[in-house]
Amino acid sequence: GGIGGGEGVEGGGGRPRRALVLTNAHVVHPSSTAAGGDGEGPTVRSIRVGLPGTNAWRDAAPVYVSRGPLDVAIVELKLHSPIDARRLVPVRRRVPGTGGSLAGASPGSPVAVVGFGRVGPGAIDAGFVDCAPAVHLGAVSTVVNFSHPSPAYSRSRDRIPSSVPAMYQTTASVHSGASGGAVVCPDDGTLLGLVTSNARLGAGGRVIPNLNFSIPVELLDPVLATAAAKGTRDWVRAFEGCLEGLNESDELRSIWSLRDPATTGGEGPISKL
């Protein structure tokens, strides 16, 4: 899964040549620290992004992979034409002050998870189906708050909040391939979060598709602001350090460790869940 981001323009006539897609770090870097690895393994060698409503694929390459607790990555997509750009759905962010940072994402609120349709590329290439995403409805079951944002994160905000959401749990059905998909408000399509993982019953146990975890859009603001910057040529340099303040937070690392003290013997960061 992935979420469309800002476009770049190159060449004469303002023809769009590239776009950014927000996804999970573990999608492009399976040994990323956010996925529980050491961050030393190779990135995925070949990345292709399907254009919604078509059976066309476009090549992409990672320009940012988070090294902290947030499972976030950005890939740069090579577009062939302005028609490609119109196929992508840009991020719609709720405007601050129109209902509060938790508007539409409080416990019990309806959500829709938009992710990869779990259809093999062969079927898409043959024209049996297109690259349209799967949409699953559910509700927010839990909001885990991050009560002590780091000074670096707080300085990047116009208003310093006493707390911000650190994690959403939802009941929408999430399957393998939905990683990096969008959690949106079904009423207006605004982005609420980024799907990262499902819950499991014990180590290596059965996956629970209707209990999953998402990164709230509030924590993604530094990434989205970087993606929206105009005239950027070097995206790798632009994204470098954009989540530095959050990456240094022990509290956030504890929340996203998803470790059960009963199975870890109390060693390492233990999740608050």
Side-chain angles (χ1 to χ4, degrees), residues 35-60:
D38 58 11
E40 299 299 326
T43 58
V44 174
R45 184 174 300 176
S46 177
I47 301 173
R48 294 196 303 163
V49 177
L51 296 180
T54 75
N55 63 348
W57 300 84
R58 298 293 180 259
D59 292 332

Side-chain angles (χ1 to χ4, degrees), residues 90-111:
V91 170
R92 294 186 59 194
R93 176 73 165 92
R94 191 179 302 275
V95 177
T98 59
S101 62
L102 288 179
S106 54
S109 298
V111 295

